[in-house]
Amino acid sequence: MILLAFFLAHAGFMAFGLSMARHRRDLHLKPIGARRATGLRICGYGLLGIAIWPCWILFALSVGIIVWIGILSAAAISLTVLLAWPPFLAMWSKAFRLTASMAERLREAVR
């Protein structure tokens, strides 16, 4: 349930960010109209609001709100890292692919 809240919050922040022209430019996406931006903004706020539901189910409302705020913070930080550090993530992706290909070649050599 906590992961559900995290993914709902992550999707909410993503929708909210995609409603802003500046962030769409940063991601090299086409500009959108005001109506679609408003729809994305409402969807983002809705997803952020729905993310409190799993926290409320697992914990009482008083503790659930605190957990929800922590999940919102974690989702915002993870989205920031994913958007701000693409070269860093690409480096790790290349390292993972290199390691995987070396392991595959070693496995084929052993056969």
Side-chain angles (χ1 to χ4, degrees):
M1 288 293 255
I2 294 295
L3 283 176
L4 175 64
F6 176 80
F7 289 128
L8 285 170
H10 197 273
F13 280 127
M14 182 75 79
F16 186 68
L18 287 176
S19 71
M20 298 178 194
R22 176 181 178 207
H23 296 308
R24 292 190 70 82
R25 257 192 330 268
D26 291 344
L27 294 173
H28 307 291
L29 298 174
K30 295 179 187 175
I32 57 174
R35 180 176 238 170
R36 186 166 287 174
T38 303
L40 277 171
R41 202 171 297 123
I42 290 170
C43 180
Y45 282 130
L47 287 169
L48 291 176
I50 292 171
I52 197 170
W53 174 70
C55 301
W56 190 357
I57 297 295
L58 285 177
F59 307 99
L61 182 60
S62 59
V63 176
I65 291 173
I66 303 300
V67 172
W68 177 63
I69 291 171
I71 288 173
L72 290 180
S73 301
I77 289 170
S78 71
L79 186 62
T80 302
V81 167
L82 284 174
L83 294 178
W85 292 347
F88 177 76
L89 295 176
M91 179 188 66
W92 279 105
S93 173
K94 288 178 185 177
F96 176 75
R97 283 187 298 210
L98 178 66
T99 305
S101 67
M102 288 172 56
E104 183 65 30
R105 287 180 186 166
L106 181 63
R107 191 178 76 171
E108 288 175 5
V110 171
R111 287 184 188 180

